[in-house]
Amino acid sequence: NAGVTQTPKFRILKIGQSMTLQCAQDMNHNYMYWYRQDPGMGLKLIYYSVGAGITDKGEVPNGYNVSRSTTEDFPLRLELAAPSQTSVYFCASSPQGNYGYTFGSGTRLTVV
Amino acid sequence: AQSVTQPDIHITVSEGASLELRCNYSYGATPYLFWYVQSPGQGLQLLLKYFSGDTLVQGIKGFEAEFKRSQSSFNLRKPSVHWSDAAEYFCAVESGGSYIPTFGRGTSLIVHP
């Protein structure tokens, strides 16, 4: 059971570069989420999706974009990377609301 | 708006001792409540959840939590801690009309041999 797969696990970006964080789930979950985790700050929601073709902003969407063309995939795009985007990024999925999440193992991103 | 407070940033216990991690929430109606565990370098794993019914819920890894409406609390407990329980623990609350949980800032559990 793969669950939620995130790639890459680690990445170093230079200021101004762009990249896509990949997230895929094989559980046929409708709901998918992107969070960032900073030390001592818990989890902040970036974007979420309740199904293919539907996305919405979370608490901290600035500097990020998402798309959801299939049920399985929910990539997160960083445009013009900034040092403030240095963080650990987690993708999560859920079959429905109020059910609890399955998390990926995270992508540790450093912007220098 | 819903909110979650985990009052303890760090908790240190000896192996074999009992454990209680505190979680208080703010929400008008009966919430959906969750506890997650995060081992170093890993994603979060769901330990247990409360939706309704019996206020004492059992989870994985020998953990349990009790929902107390009068105290707006959902504390996590384990009768005997193992060294492998050392991790970060997050409480989360979700309202019935939303599918976006609010997470607490986490409690770091340190286990001494």
Side-chain angles (χ1 to χ4, degrees):
Chain A
N1 293 336
V4 178
T5 302
Q6 290 185 241
T7 56
K9 292 190 183 302
F10 304 94
R11 183 72 185 268
I12 298 175
L13 277 183
K14 293 184 178 179
I15 294 172
Q17 287 185 321
S18 301
M19 77 164 293
T20 299
L21 281 66
Q22 301 292 343
C23 175
Q25 53 91 8
D26 61 357
M27 299 170 286
N28 201 35
H29 285 177
N30 286 321
Y31 292 36
M32 295 187 75
Y33 309 80
W34 274 106
Y35 284 89
R36 59 177 289 170
Q37 183 180 36
D38 301 299
M41 299 303 292
L43 293 162
K44 303 284 188 186
L45 181 65
I46 305 171
Y47 271 95
Y48 66 99
S49 168
V50 298
I54 306 169
T55 62
D56 209 345
K57 297 177 180 179
E59 183 181 0
V60 289
N62 291 343
Y64 307 94
N65 274 300
V66 294
S67 59
R68 184 97 183 269
S69 56
T70 67
T71 298
E72 295 77 20
D73 299 299
F74 191 41
L76 178 71
R77 177 82 177 164
L78 279 70
E79 304 283 0
L80 299 174
S84 60
Q85 294 177 304
T86 294
S87 188
V88 181
Y89 291 84
F90 288 101
C91 180
S93 72
S94 179
Q96 62 188 58
N98 308 139
Y99 201 81
Y101 289 174
T102 300
F103 279 84
S105 58
T107 295
R108 183 174 294 274
L109 175 67
T110 303
V111 182
V112 296
Chain B
Q2 61 201 30
S3 66
V4 179
T5 302
Q6 293 181 246
D8 304 303
I9 297 174
H10 303 283
I11 290 280
T12 301
V13 299
S14 298
E15 191 169 15
S18 63
L19 170 70
E20 183 169 33
L21 301 182
R22 296 183 291 164
C23 173
N24 294 98
Y25 67 91
S26 173
Y27 179 64
T30 299
Y32 293 73
L33 295 159
F34 307 85
W35 273 101
Y36 290 86
V37 60
Q38 183 181 30
S39 297
Q42 300 297 314
L44 282 71
Q45 180 183 20
L46 182 64
L47 279 176
L48 48 78
K49 56 190 176 187
Y50 171 78
F51 290 170
S52 63
D54 193 349
T55 57
L56 184 63
V57 294
Q58 303 295 322
I60 62 172
K61 302 177 186 282
F63 285 92
E64 66 178 26
E66 185 172 13
F67 170 59
K68 292 185 177 180
R69 183 190 304 275
S70 61
Q71 299 177 18
S72 297
S73 68
F74 188 56
N75 294 348
L76 182 71
R77 301 195 294 247
K78 187 169 185 178
S80 178
V81 170
H82 188 262
W83 65 265
S84 60
D85 293 324
E88 190 90 12
Y89 291 81
F90 292 91
C91 181
V93 63
E94 200 169 310
S95 66
S98 165
Y99 31 79
I100 307 296
T102 298
F103 285 87
R105 293 195 171 189
T107 297
S108 178
L109 175 64
I110 301 164
V111 180
H112 281 311

